[in-house]
Amino acid sequence: MSPDAQRDRILILDFGSQYTQLIARRIREQKVYCEIHPPTLDIETLRAWRPAGLILSGGPSSVLDAGAPELDPGILELELPILGICYGLQLLAQQQGGLVERASEHEYGRAQLKVERAHPLFAGFGADDTDGTDEKNRKVKSVWMSHGDRLLRLPEGFEVIASSDHSPFAAVAHRERPVMGLQFHPEVTHTDGGAQILANFAHGICGCTGSWTAETFVEEALVRLRAQLGEGRAVCGLSGGVDSSVAAALVHRAIGDRLTCVFVDHGLLRLGEGKEVEAAMTRGLGIPLVTVDASERFLSALAGVRDPEEKRRIIGRHFVEVFDEQAQRIEGAKFLVQGTLYPDVIESVSVRGPSATIKTHHNVGGLPENMRLHLVEPLRELFKDEVRAVGRVLGVPETVLGRHPFPGPGLAVRILGEVTRARCDTLRQADAILIEELRRAGLYDEVWQAFAVFLPIQSVGVMGDTRSYEHCVALRCVSSADAMTADWSKLPTELLATVSSRITNEVAGVNRVVYDISSKPPATIEWE
C-alpha cells in the first residue's frame, strides 16, 4: 500500500451493531479505505495500522451491563480523531467520567435533530454560524435513533453540539480534542445528511484525501497476489457471476495463464448459464476454462436434504473436492481462488467483532480443514459495487458486471426443502420468464436482484375445466445499494400479471405465483 493510501484509511471497532457494515460502506463511498475490527484489538496493532481516524460502532449491549464490551483506555490517549456512534458515544462518555442511565422510554425511529452550534461534523448543513443562542437559526434534521440508554451527564471538556426532544446530548464533542459522539445513526439512509456527517469526519476531521479508488485497489492487489502466488499455479472456482468473474480477471492479470478456471455445472444453474459463462470467459477475457458436468454428483448428495445450512455444507464440500480433483490434473496448482466478498464474511462468522451471525456462506463456511489447495480471496474486503468498479478497470464485459447476484449454492437455496432435478428444471423455467419480462420492460437494471423461489407446497387451482393440485412459485425482486439492507421492488402490476400468467401457462406443475414484499431486515434477500 502506498504511503498516501496508508494514511487515507479509517479503522472501525465493531461493538456488535448490525449497522456496522453500513458505516464501512459509507466511508468507502468517500474513497477512503476502512476495515472493521473487534474492540479487543490490542493497541499496538492499532498503532501499527496507522489509521487517520477511529469510529466506534453501536451495539446491542448496554454500557451498564456486566461484561459489556469496553474500550482500551490507551486508545483515548492516542492523538486520533474518534467518533462514537450510539453505544460508542455512551462508552466514550462513561469511560471519561460521564454518566449513562437506562432510559425510561427507549428511543427508536425518527427524531428531529437540532444543531446547537457550529462543528466540522455538521459542515454543509447550513448551520456553520449557529451558536445555539438563536432558535430560528438552528438547523433541524430528521435522524434515526435506536437506543435504550441515555447520556445523563457529559464528561469534563465536552459540550453539546446537537440535541433532540428526547436526547439533550444527541451529538457531543470535546472542546479541544477531536473526540466526538452521536446518539443517532448517521450510516442509515433514514438519517438526513448522515452520509455528509461521515464524509465530514473522514475528510474534514481526519484529513483523508479520498485516494482509495478501484484503480489503486487493482494496483495494490496485483502486487499482493504476485507475492502470495509466486510462481505457483492457481485454479479458480468460477460460477459466472460478478464476484468469481472479477476475481478470475484480477488473478489472471497478476499471473496470466498460470490461472485455470474451473466451471462446475452442479445442476443448480439458471437456464442457459453454462454457455454464457464459457463465452464470457474464453472469448471475452481469454482466460483458460475447464467445464465439468458434476450435476449428478451434487444432486445425488443433496437427495433428501432439507436443512439450508446442510445444503450449503454439502455443496461447499463437493465444490472443493471437484476443484481438488481438477487441480491434480494441473501441474503445479497450489491455490484455490474464490470470489468471497466482505458481506459474505460478515454474514457468516463473527471474525472481527461480536456482530450476530446471519447464515453460513458457501465461500467462507464448509471448507474442509485438510483442503490441499491454499485459499486466495482477492476481493474479500470489497462490497459488491466496488467489485463492479474493479471489474470495469480490468475490462470485464458489462454483460457479466450487470448480472444480478447469484448465490454459490445456486438454485439449492431457492428451492425450499429437498432439491431434485425436476424441481430445478421447474424453477429454471420460472426464473427465466421473470428475467425475460424484466428485460423486456426495461427494468432489469433498475432491480438489484430478481429471482423465483420454488415452494414445497401444493394448492388447489383450476386449469382448463379441471381441478389442479400443483406447486407455488414466489417471485423475489429487491432494490438495494449494497445488499446490507434491501426493500422489495414496486414493480408495475401489469408486469407482475404478465409474469404470473406466463409461468402458470408455460411451466408444468405450477398453478400459483406470489410476490414477496418483505424488506431486509427483517427478512434476508435469499429465502434460505
Short mmCIF file of all heavy atoms in Angstrom, two decimals, residues 64-112:
data_model
loop_
_atom_site.label_atom_id
_atom_site.label_comp_id
_atom_site.label_asym_id
_atom_site.label_seq_id
_atom_site.Cartn_x
_atom_site.Cartn_y
_atom_site.Cartn_z
N LEU A 64 -24.04 -0.36 30.92
CA LEU A 64 -24.32 -0.61 32.34
C LEU A 64 -24.33 -2.11 32.67
O LEU A 64 -24.39 -2.48 33.83
CB LEU A 64 -25.68 0.00 32.71
CG LEU A 64 -25.81 1.51 32.45
CD1 LEU A 64 -27.23 1.97 32.72
CD2 LEU A 64 -24.82 2.29 33.30
N ASP A 65 -24.28 -2.95 31.64
CA ASP A 65 -24.30 -4.40 31.85
C ASP A 65 -22.93 -4.91 32.26
O ASP A 65 -21.90 -4.44 31.76
CB ASP A 65 -24.73 -5.13 30.57
CG ASP A 65 -26.19 -4.88 30.23
OD1 ASP A 65 -26.95 -4.46 31.13
OD2 ASP A 65 -26.55 -5.08 29.05
N ALA A 66 -22.93 -5.90 33.13
CA ALA A 66 -21.67 -6.56 33.48
C ALA A 66 -21.17 -7.31 32.26
O ALA A 66 -21.93 -8.00 31.58
CB ALA A 66 -21.90 -7.53 34.64
N GLY A 67 -19.90 -7.17 31.97
CA GLY A 67 -19.31 -7.86 30.83
C GLY A 67 -19.54 -7.19 29.49
O GLY A 67 -19.23 -7.77 28.44
N ALA A 68 -20.11 -5.97 29.50
CA ALA A 68 -20.32 -5.26 28.23
C ALA A 68 -18.97 -4.92 27.61
O ALA A 68 -17.98 -4.70 28.32
CB ALA A 68 -21.12 -3.99 28.48
N PRO A 69 -18.88 -4.90 26.26
CA PRO A 69 -17.61 -4.58 25.61
C PRO A 69 -17.08 -3.23 26.05
O PRO A 69 -17.84 -2.27 26.24
CB PRO A 69 -17.98 -4.56 24.11
CG PRO A 69 -19.22 -5.37 24.01
CD PRO A 69 -19.96 -5.17 25.29
N GLU A 70 -15.77 -3.16 26.25
CA GLU A 70 -15.13 -1.92 26.70
C GLU A 70 -14.11 -1.46 25.68
O GLU A 70 -13.78 -2.17 24.72
CB GLU A 70 -14.47 -2.13 28.06
CG GLU A 70 -15.45 -2.47 29.18
CD GLU A 70 -14.75 -2.62 30.52
OE1 GLU A 70 -13.49 -2.68 30.53
OE2 GLU A 70 -15.44 -2.70 31.54
N LEU A 71 -13.60 -0.27 25.90
CA LEU A 71 -12.59 0.32 25.04
C LEU A 71 -11.28 0.40 25.81
O LEU A 71 -11.26 0.82 26.98
CB LEU A 71 -13.03 1.73 24.60
CG LEU A 71 -12.14 2.47 23.60
CD1 LEU A 71 -12.18 1.77 22.24
CD2 LEU A 71 -12.60 3.92 23.45
N ASP A 72 -10.18 -0.01 25.19
CA ASP A 72 -8.87 0.11 25.82
C ASP A 72 -8.62 1.58 26.14
O ASP A 72 -8.62 2.43 25.25
CB ASP A 72 -7.80 -0.40 24.85
CG ASP A 72 -6.42 -0.46 25.49
OD1 ASP A 72 -6.14 0.34 26.40
OD2 ASP A 72 -5.61 -1.30 25.06
N PRO A 73 -8.45 1.93 27.43
CA PRO A 73 -8.25 3.33 27.80
C PRO A 73 -7.07 3.97 27.06
O PRO A 73 -7.05 5.19 26.84
CB PRO A 73 -7.98 3.26 29.31
CG PRO A 73 -8.60 1.97 29.74
CD PRO A 73 -8.43 1.04 28.60
N GLY A 74 -6.08 3.15 26.67
CA GLY A 74 -4.94 3.69 25.96
C GLY A 74 -5.30 4.31 24.62
O GLY A 74 -4.61 5.20 24.12
N ILE A 75 -6.42 3.83 24.03
CA ILE A 75 -6.85 4.39 22.74
C ILE A 75 -7.22 5.85 22.88
O ILE A 75 -6.97 6.67 21.99
CB ILE A 75 -8.02 3.56 22.18
CG1 ILE A 75 -7.53 2.16 21.78
CG2 ILE A 75 -8.69 4.26 21.00
CD1 ILE A 75 -8.63 1.24 21.29
N LEU A 76 -7.80 6.21 24.03
CA LEU A 76 -8.20 7.59 24.25
C LEU A 76 -7.00 8.51 24.41
O LEU A 76 -7.14 9.73 24.30
CB LEU A 76 -9.10 7.69 25.48
CG LEU A 76 -10.43 6.91 25.39
CD1 LEU A 76 -11.17 6.96 26.71
CD2 LEU A 76 -11.29 7.49 24.28
N GLU A 77 -5.85 7.93 24.67
CA GLU A 77 -4.64 8.74 24.83
C GLU A 77 -3.93 8.97 23.50
O GLU A 77 -3.01 9.78 23.42
CB GLU A 77 -3.69 8.06 25.82
CG GLU A 77 -4.30 7.90 27.21
CD GLU A 77 -3.40 7.10 28.14
OE1 GLU A 77 -2.26 6.74 27.70
OE2 GLU A 77 -3.82 6.83 29.28
N LEU A 78 -4.35 8.24 22.45
CA LEU A 78 -3.75 8.44 21.15
C LEU A 78 -4.24 9.76 20.55
O LEU A 78 -5.38 10.18 20.79
CB LEU A 78 -4.12 7.29 20.21
CG LEU A 78 -3.69 5.89 20.64
CD1 LEU A 78 -4.23 4.86 19.65
CD2 LEU A 78 -2.17 5.79 20.70
N GLU A 79 -3.43 10.38 19.77
CA GLU A 79 -3.84 11.63 19.13
C GLU A 79 -4.56 11.31 17.83
O GLU A 79 -4.09 11.61 16.73
CB GLU A 79 -2.63 12.52 18.89
CG GLU A 79 -1.98 12.99 20.19
CD GLU A 79 -0.81 13.93 19.94
OE1 GLU A 79 -0.53 14.23 18.76
OE2 GLU A 79 -0.19 14.35 20.92
N LEU A 80 -5.74 10.69 17.98
CA LEU A 80 -6.53 10.26 16.84
C LEU A 80 -7.92 10.87 16.91
O LEU A 80 -8.53 10.93 17.98
CB LEU A 80 -6.70 8.73 16.85
CG LEU A 80 -5.67 7.85 16.18
CD1 LEU A 80 -6.07 6.39 16.36
CD2 LEU A 80 -5.55 8.18 14.71
N PRO A 81 -8.47 11.31 15.80
CA PRO A 81 -9.89 11.67 15.79
C PRO A 81 -10.72 10.43 16.08
O PRO A 81 -10.48 9.36 15.51
CB PRO A 81 -10.12 12.18 14.37
CG PRO A 81 -8.78 12.59 13.87
CD PRO A 81 -7.82 11.62 14.51
N ILE A 82 -11.69 10.55 16.97
CA ILE A 82 -12.55 9.43 17.34
C ILE A 82 -14.00 9.85 17.25
O ILE A 82 -14.39 10.90 17.78
CB ILE A 82 -12.24 8.94 18.77
CG1 ILE A 82 -10.78 8.49 18.90
CG2 ILE A 82 -13.19 7.80 19.17
CD1 ILE A 82 -10.40 8.05 20.30
N LEU A 83 -14.81 9.02 16.59
CA LEU A 83 -16.25 9.25 16.50
C LEU A 83 -16.97 8.05 17.09
O LEU A 83 -16.83 6.92 16.60
CB LEU A 83 -16.68 9.44 15.04
CG LEU A 83 -18.19 9.51 14.79
CD1 LEU A 83 -18.80 10.72 15.48
CD2 LEU A 83 -18.50 9.52 13.29
N GLY A 84 -17.73 8.27 18.16
CA GLY A 84 -18.53 7.21 18.76
C GLY A 84 -19.97 7.32 18.30
O GLY A 84 -20.54 8.42 18.28
N ILE A 85 -20.57 6.19 17.92
CA ILE A 85 -21.94 6.18 17.44
C ILE A 85 -22.79 5.32 18.37
O ILE A 85 -22.49 4.15 18.57
CB ILE A 85 -22.01 5.64 16.00
CG1 ILE A 85 -21.24 6.55 15.04
CG2 ILE A 85 -23.45 5.47 15.54
CD1 ILE A 85 -21.16 6.03 13.60
N CYS A 86 -23.83 5.92 18.95
CA CYS A 86 -24.79 5.22 19.82
C CYS A 86 -24.05 4.57 21.00
O CYS A 86 -23.58 5.26 21.89
CB CYS A 86 -25.59 4.21 19.02
SG CYS A 86 -27.14 3.73 19.83
N TYR A 87 -23.90 3.25 21.02
CA TYR A 87 -23.14 2.61 22.09
C TYR A 87 -21.74 3.19 22.17
O TYR A 87 -21.20 3.38 23.27
CB TYR A 87 -23.08 1.10 21.84
CG TYR A 87 -22.33 0.33 22.92
CD1 TYR A 87 -23.00 -0.17 24.04
CD2 TYR A 87 -20.96 0.10 22.82
CE1 TYR A 87 -22.33 -0.88 25.03
CE2 TYR A 87 -20.28 -0.61 23.80
CZ TYR A 87 -20.96 -1.09 24.89
OH TYR A 87 -20.29 -1.78 25.88
N GLY A 88 -21.14 3.49 21.03
CA GLY A 88 -19.80 4.08 21.01
C GLY A 88 -19.74 5.40 21.73
O GLY A 88 -18.77 5.70 22.44
N LEU A 89 -20.78 6.23 21.59
CA LEU A 89 -20.85 7.51 22.31
C LEU A 89 -20.96 7.26 23.80
O LEU A 89 -20.25 7.87 24.61
CB LEU A 89 -22.06 8.30 21.82
CG LEU A 89 -22.57 9.41 22.77
CD1 LEU A 89 -21.54 10.50 22.93
CD2 LEU A 89 -23.89 9.98 22.27
N GLN A 90 -21.87 6.38 24.20
CA GLN A 90 -22.08 6.13 25.63
C GLN A 90 -20.83 5.56 26.29
O GLN A 90 -20.50 5.89 27.43
CB GLN A 90 -23.28 5.19 25.79
CG GLN A 90 -24.58 5.82 25.34
CD GLN A 90 -25.68 4.82 25.09
OE1 GLN A 90 -25.52 3.63 25.35
NE2 GLN A 90 -26.81 5.29 24.56
N LEU A 91 -20.11 4.72 25.54
CA LEU A 91 -18.87 4.14 26.07
C LEU A 91 -17.81 5.22 26.24
O LEU A 91 -17.11 5.28 27.26
CB LEU A 91 -18.39 3.05 25.13
CG LEU A 91 -17.25 2.16 25.64
CD1 LEU A 91 -17.66 1.41 26.90
CD2 LEU A 91 -16.84 1.17 24.56
N LEU A 92 -17.68 6.07 25.22
CA LEU A 92 -16.73 7.20 25.31
C LEU A 92 -17.03 8.05 26.53
O LEU A 92 -16.12 8.42 27.29
CB LEU A 92 -16.82 8.06 24.05
CG LEU A 92 -16.02 7.66 22.83
CD1 LEU A 92 -16.35 8.60 21.67
CD2 LEU A 92 -14.52 7.69 23.12
N ALA A 93 -18.30 8.37 26.72
CA ALA A 93 -18.70 9.24 27.82
C ALA A 93 -18.43 8.58 29.17
O ALA A 93 -17.85 9.18 30.08
CB ALA A 93 -20.17 9.61 27.69
N GLN A 94 -18.87 7.32 29.32
CA GLN A 94 -18.72 6.64 30.60
C GLN A 94 -17.26 6.48 31.00
O GLN A 94 -16.89 6.68 32.16
CB GLN A 94 -19.40 5.28 30.54
CG GLN A 94 -19.39 4.55 31.89
CD GLN A 94 -19.81 3.10 31.74
OE1 GLN A 94 -19.17 2.33 31.03
NE2 GLN A 94 -20.89 2.72 32.39
N GLN A 95 -16.41 6.10 30.01
CA GLN A 95 -15.01 5.85 30.35
C GLN A 95 -14.21 7.12 30.59
O GLN A 95 -13.05 7.05 30.99
CB GLN A 95 -14.35 5.01 29.25
CG GLN A 95 -14.90 3.59 29.20
CD GLN A 95 -14.04 2.62 28.38
OE1 GLN A 95 -14.49 1.59 27.96
NE2 GLN A 95 -12.78 2.97 28.17
N GLN A 96 -14.84 8.27 30.35
CA GLN A 96 -14.15 9.54 30.61
C GLN A 96 -14.83 10.35 31.72
O GLN A 96 -14.58 11.54 31.85
CB GLN A 96 -14.06 10.37 29.33
CG GLN A 96 -13.20 9.72 28.26
CD GLN A 96 -13.13 10.56 26.99
OE1 GLN A 96 -12.24 11.41 26.82
NE2 GLN A 96 -14.07 10.34 26.09
N GLY A 97 -15.69 9.67 32.49
CA GLY A 97 -16.28 10.32 33.65
C GLY A 97 -17.70 10.80 33.46
O GLY A 97 -18.27 11.41 34.38
N GLY A 98 -18.32 10.55 32.33
CA GLY A 98 -19.71 10.93 32.13
C GLY A 98 -20.64 9.94 32.80
O GLY A 98 -20.22 8.90 33.32
N LEU A 99 -21.93 10.24 32.76
CA LEU A 99 -22.91 9.39 33.42
C LEU A 99 -23.95 8.92 32.40
O LEU A 99 -24.54 9.72 31.68
CB LEU A 99 -23.62 10.16 34.55
CG LEU A 99 -24.66 9.37 35.36
CD1 LEU A 99 -24.02 8.19 36.07
CD2 LEU A 99 -25.36 10.29 36.37
N VAL A 100 -24.14 7.60 32.36
CA VAL A 100 -25.13 6.98 31.47
C VAL A 100 -26.16 6.29 32.34
O VAL A 100 -25.83 5.67 33.35
CB VAL A 100 -24.46 5.96 30.52
CG1 VAL A 100 -25.51 5.26 29.66
CG2 VAL A 100 -23.42 6.64 29.64
N GLU A 101 -27.45 6.40 31.96
CA GLU A 101 -28.51 5.73 32.70
C GLU A 101 -29.45 5.02 31.74
O GLU A 101 -29.49 5.33 30.54
CB GLU A 101 -29.30 6.72 33.54
CG GLU A 101 -30.13 7.69 32.71
CD GLU A 101 -31.13 8.48 33.55
OE1 GLU A 101 -31.10 8.34 34.79
OE2 GLU A 101 -31.93 9.22 32.96
N ARG A 102 -30.21 4.08 32.27
CA ARG A 102 -31.21 3.41 31.45
C ARG A 102 -32.36 4.38 31.24
O ARG A 102 -32.89 4.95 32.19
CB ARG A 102 -31.70 2.13 32.11
CG ARG A 102 -30.59 1.10 32.32
CD ARG A 102 -31.15 -0.24 32.75
NE ARG A 102 -30.09 -1.14 33.17
CZ ARG A 102 -29.34 -1.85 32.34
NH1 ARG A 102 -29.54 -1.74 31.04
NH2 ARG A 102 -28.40 -2.65 32.80
N ALA A 103 -32.77 4.55 29.99
CA ALA A 103 -33.83 5.50 29.68
C ALA A 103 -35.18 4.90 30.09
O ALA A 103 -35.42 3.70 29.95
CB ALA A 103 -33.83 5.81 28.19
N SER A 104 -36.07 5.75 30.62
CA SER A 104 -37.40 5.28 30.99
C SER A 104 -38.20 4.92 29.74
O SER A 104 -39.07 4.05 29.77
CB SER A 104 -38.14 6.36 31.79
OG SER A 104 -38.20 7.58 31.05
N GLU A 105 -37.89 5.61 28.64
CA GLU A 105 -38.53 5.30 27.35
C GLU A 105 -37.44 5.10 26.30
O GLU A 105 -36.60 5.97 26.11
CB GLU A 105 -39.46 6.43 26.92
CG GLU A 105 -40.66 6.62 27.82
CD GLU A 105 -41.58 7.71 27.30
OE1 GLU A 105 -41.27 8.28 26.23
OE2 GLU A 105 -42.60 7.99 27.95
N HIS A 106 -37.45 3.95 25.64
CA HIS A 106 -36.49 3.72 24.56
C HIS A 106 -36.82 4.65 23.40
O HIS A 106 -37.98 4.98 23.16
CB HIS A 106 -36.56 2.27 24.09
CG HIS A 106 -36.06 1.31 25.13
ND1 HIS A 106 -35.85 -0.02 24.86
CD2 HIS A 106 -35.73 1.48 26.44
CE1 HIS A 106 -35.41 -0.63 25.96
NE2 HIS A 106 -35.35 0.26 26.92
N GLU A 107 -35.80 5.08 22.70
CA GLU A 107 -36.00 5.96 21.56
C GLU A 107 -35.61 5.22 20.28
O GLU A 107 -34.44 5.03 19.99
CB GLU A 107 -35.15 7.24 21.71
CG GLU A 107 -35.51 8.29 20.67
CD GLU A 107 -34.78 9.61 20.90
OE1 GLU A 107 -33.79 9.62 21.66
OE2 GLU A 107 -35.20 10.61 20.31
N TYR A 108 -36.61 4.76 19.57
CA TYR A 108 -36.41 4.04 18.32
C TYR A 108 -37.13 4.79 17.20
O TYR A 108 -38.25 5.25 17.37
CB TYR A 108 -36.95 2.61 18.39
CG TYR A 108 -36.27 1.74 19.42
CD1 TYR A 108 -37.00 0.95 20.30
CD2 TYR A 108 -34.88 1.70 19.51
CE1 TYR A 108 -36.37 0.14 21.24
CE2 TYR A 108 -34.25 0.89 20.44
CZ TYR A 108 -35.00 0.12 21.30
OH TYR A 108 -34.36 -0.67 22.23
N GLY A 109 -36.48 4.88 16.06
CA GLY A 109 -37.13 5.51 14.91
C GLY A 109 -36.66 6.93 14.69
O GLY A 109 -35.62 7.37 15.18
N ARG A 110 -37.45 7.67 13.93
CA ARG A 110 -37.05 9.02 13.53
C ARG A 110 -37.15 10.01 14.69
O ARG A 110 -38.03 9.92 15.55
CB ARG A 110 -37.93 9.51 12.37
CG ARG A 110 -37.74 8.71 11.09
CD ARG A 110 -38.48 9.34 9.92
NE ARG A 110 -38.40 8.51 8.73
CZ ARG A 110 -37.38 8.52 7.89
NH1 ARG A 110 -36.36 9.32 8.11
NH2 ARG A 110 -37.38 7.73 6.83
N ALA A 111 -36.23 10.96 14.69
CA ALA A 111 -36.23 12.05 15.66
C ALA A 111 -35.75 13.31 14.94
O ALA A 111 -35.06 13.24 13.93
CB ALA A 111 -35.32 11.72 16.85
N GLN A 112 -36.14 14.45 15.49
CA GLN A 112 -35.75 15.73 14.89
C GLN A 112 -34.50 16.25 15.61
O GLN A 112 -34.54 16.54 16.81
CB GLN A 112 -36.89 16.74 14.99
CG GLN A 112 -38.13 16.34 14.20
CD GLN A 112 -37.82 16.11 12.73
OE1 GLN A 112 -37.30 16.99 12.04
NE2 GLN A 112 -38.13 14.90 12.25
#
